[in-house]
Amino acid sequence: MSKAGVYPPAPEICAAAHIPSFQKYQEMYQRSVRDPSEFWGEIANDFYWRVAPSQPFLKYNFDVTKGKIFIKWMKGAVTNICYNVLDRNILEKKLGDKVAFYWEGNEPEESTSVTYAELLKKVCQFANVLRDQGVKKGDRVSIYMPMVLELVVAMLACARIGAVHSIVFAGFSAESLCERIMDSHCSLLITADGFFRGDKLINLKLIADEALKKCEEKNYSLKKCIVLKHLGREEVICDGTSRMSPPSKRLCPSVQGNKQEKAKREHPQTKWNPSVDLWWHDLTKDASTECEPEWCDAEDALFILYTSGSTGKPKGVVHTVGGYMIFTATTFKYVFDYHPDDIYWCTADIGWITGHSYLVYGPLANGATSVLFEGLPIYPDISRMWQIIDKYSVSKFYTAPTAIRLLMKYGEEPVRRYTRKSLKILGTVGEPINPEAWLWYYNVVGEKRCPIVDTFWQTETGGHVLTPLPGATATKPGSATFPFFGVVPAILDESGEELEGEAEGYLVFKQPWPALMRTVYGNHERFETTYFKKFPGYYVTGDGCKRDKDGYYWITGRIDDMLNVSGHLLSTAEVESALVEHSSVAEAAAVSHPHPVKGECLYCFVTLRDGHEFTKTLTDQLKKLVREKIGPIATPDYIQNAPGLPKTRSGKIMRRVLRKIAKNDRELGDISTLADTTVIHNLFDNRCHTGL
């Protein structure tokens, strides 16, 4: 079949699917749009409410010209999301002995599992610890941890006592962690001593200490830091004792010698501040395994998650308890066609929204068994992903196009070493997938028998908004397909007019669904300006989109000054701000550039101060600076010397022209507003060699 072909769902999927036909999907969709209160009210009945939802079920305003923007679902209803994803599954559904997570460590030999009943006990213990540390309902708690079970425990413990968790991806720098702690006014930090990413040891506590020092320098002091002994985990299990500095001298027989020796050599001691630092295992060993939940209003904040902003300052996206709970549970059920015997694996880090919604809250709300993976896709060998799928008999697999393109490089043989016969549905997330990668995923990984759900959504949307549904919708490689229940998309032109039929323009949404973000933490004005001011009456995604003659939606990429690197949204302003901190740099501009694995990468232009020379040493220093200020994911692939930048007469940098230069595309379009056209020739002459 050609790349432009349409791929119907597999017959066996259709037979067992929750929505067995496209007609049934259309009927349910129309009902969800026509009467969202009734549609979501029926779904809400499947959850536990201390005070049940009542009318009005939904109140909102999307039009800035008519007053303050607000979204309220089930305001006045009272529940607790931790109770719903754990206690309810154990008490009502009798799933206490069912595995909630299989944990697969960085090394293939490292694995464990936790049942729903065991997870509830761990969560209650840590919830009691947080309460003992003075954490109250509404307090913000920052979590900076590797992909371990305790990360799930920490976030659910926060949810149980009504505290607001703010998880920071463990690949972010000390500066980024400091910025997020301060912006959300966190009262406590939870971290770990360190972890391995492949064969690289990450001293997480050292980075956390540096972040806390930066907070102090800015007159913000965090009272307590709880530290998980992850590298020294075996010592705690074997000895039942606590020591100040892992790893211990006495090792368990099961510990791998080479790896532990490396940890001892590179990570000889965890620096300790007795007035601030507390060991996780010391605090939990005598804590009660029972903890009464804090009952919360449906519109109380559940978590803050930071996403890059076009101004350079990250935005604290706020999601609330009730709407987020019912939407993530419902999208998980339908998009992955979840059945009780499924083993589900989402490869995303919990530090991103995908990990929040589709590794923790969505799967647990459905009583699912998931795989939680700490390692890398090609460590210790290039077949690791497929080995894990066979090991746990994974039936539903959800990963990023970046990972697919990386694995494509090694060909089919590493995939075919393993049977993958358990697979039923494949998913993609984080960025639009190119047709070549889609077809490889479908033909090689899924052996032409597994539908692909290519999901479009954002940190702000909380869950899937454009996606195929297995059994109901045929797919086209690279298309986000159709809207999910209750989601009403539109495509607007530059003047804000809705375009009908085949069209291309700004992707917006006309009404809220339960998991849509409620505000930017501490800055509601920024929330209104970013998402609602450009086109009053619509939620503006910031993405371009085209709709084809069959009604399928295709995401064309960011319209604002953002780019998507390996599925991670980055702000060009944030990168530029880091570059100009170097004493040699007078001005900087960052744009996206195509990358065969990451999808997009950073191509940066720097204008030097008088008397400074552009050298490889300077380039290395600038890359290091960006890594330190933002994190490794933001490291530029290319940095070009730019004695002058293309600017309009008003002084605005024309990034559209810079993107063309980066790609060696001399079709520049209209440059009549350019103040000085002579800079163009110079920039083309100084281009970095990118293969284009």
Side-chain angles (χ1 to χ4, degrees), residues 370-416:
S370 298
V371 175
L372 179 66
F373 179 44
E374 184 188 26
L376 295 173
I378 56 173
Y379 177 85
D381 67 63
I382 54 179
S383 291
R384 183 72 189 277
M385 304 280 266
W386 325 121
Q387 179 258 330
I388 292 171
I389 285 171
D390 277 10
K391 177 178 179 179
Y392 296 106
S393 296
V394 171
S395 53
K396 310 293 168 68
F397 180 58
Y398 195 35
T399 194
T402 300
I404 296 165
R405 286 190 293 266
L406 171 66
L407 295 162
M408 273 177 71
K409 289 198 324 181
Y410 300 100
E412 299 182 12
E413 190 277 329
V415 186
R416 301 198 190 281

Side-chain angles (χ1 to χ4, degrees), residues 20 33 156 168 181 244 340 354 432 616:
V33 172
L156 291 178
V168 180
I181 288 171
M244 294 296 285
T354 303
K616 184 181 183 304

Side-chain angles (χ1 to χ4, degrees), residues 303 317 319 324 327-328 331 353-354 356-358 457-465 513-517:
F303 66 84
V317 170
H319 284 290
Y324 178 82
F327 193 76
T328 52
T331 46
I353 188 64
T354 303
H356 281 57
S357 298
Y358 298 114
W457 57 299
Q458 304 171 310
T459 303
E460 294 90 340
T461 70
H464 304 140
V465 287
W513 50 94
L516 183 61
M517 71 181 290

Side-chain angles (χ1 to χ4, degrees), residues 415-437:
V415 186
R416 301 198 190 281
R417 285 180 207 166
Y418 295 90
T419 69
R420 295 153 285 110
K421 63 183 179 183
S422 58
L423 286 174
K424 294 179 180 176
I425 290 172
L426 303 173
T428 70
V429 61
E431 59 190 298
I433 186 170
N434 53 305
E436 291 78 13

Side-chain angles (χ1 to χ4, degrees), residues 611-623:
H612 291 265
E613 189 180 351
F614 190 84
T615 62
K616 184 181 183 304
T617 301
L618 174 62
T619 300
D620 292 342
Q621 289 173 354
L622 292 173
K623 289 182 178 182

Side-chain angles (χ1 to χ4, degrees), residues 286-513:
D286 296 322
S288 170
T289 57
E290 294 184 2
C291 177
E292 177 67 17
E294 184 75 35
W295 299 104
C296 303
D297 189 279
E299 280 299 318
D300 284 344
L302 172 62
F303 66 84
I304 302 167
L305 187 58
Y306 284 86
T307 187
S308 290
S310 58
T311 63
K313 181 178 168 58
K315 303 185 296 286
V317 170
V318 176
H319 284 290
T320 51
V321 174
Y324 178 82
M325 175 176 73
I326 66 173
F327 193 76
T328 52
T330 307
T331 46
F332 177 81
K333 174 184 174 180
Y334 286 107
V335 174
F336 298 108
D337 190 36
Y338 171 71
H339 293 273
D341 59 346
D342 279 328
I343 304 297
Y344 166 80
W345 182 19
C346 168
T347 66
D349 193 286
I350 293 174
W352 307 112
I353 188 64
T354 303
H356 281 57
S357 298
Y358 298 114
L359 186 49
V360 181
Y361 288 113
L364 289 177
N366 283 273
T369 296
S370 298
V371 175
L372 179 66
F373 179 44
E374 184 188 26
L376 295 173
I378 56 173
Y379 177 85
D381 67 63
I382 54 179
S383 291
R384 183 72 189 277
M385 304 280 266
W386 325 121
Q387 179 258 330
I388 292 171
I389 285 171
D390 277 10
K391 177 178 179 179
Y392 296 106
S393 296
V394 171
S395 53
K396 310 293 168 68
F397 180 58
Y398 195 35
T399 194
T402 300
I404 296 165
R405 286 190 293 266
L406 171 66
L407 295 162
M408 273 177 71
K409 289 198 324 181
Y410 300 100
E412 299 182 12
E413 190 277 329
V415 186
R416 301 198 190 281
R417 285 180 207 166
Y418 295 90
T419 69
R420 295 153 285 110
K421 63 183 179 183
S422 58
L423 286 174
K424 294 179 180 176
I425 290 172
L426 303 173
T428 70
V429 61
E431 59 190 298
I433 186 170
N434 53 305
E436 291 78 13
W438 193 102
L439 287 164
W440 187 85
Y441 198 31
Y442 180 79
N443 292 325
V444 178
V445 178
E447 296 179 323
K448 301 181 180 181
R449 57 184 173 77
C450 301
I452 293 178
V453 287
D454 177 8
T455 60
F456 170 77
W457 57 299
Q458 304 171 310
T459 303
E460 294 90 340
T461 70
H464 304 140
V465 287
L466 298 176
T467 177
L469 294 181
T473 51
T475 51
K476 296 183 181 183
S479 166
T481 314
F482 299 114
F484 192 73
F485 303 132
V487 176
V488 185
I491 295 178
L492 306 185
D493 64 15
E494 189 64 50
S495 63
E497 293 295 316
E498 284 192 32
L499 303 173
E500 301 297 328
E502 284 187 74
E504 184 168 358
Y506 292 86
L507 176 64
V508 299
F509 294 106
K510 300 169 72 168
Q511 66 186 44
W513 50 94

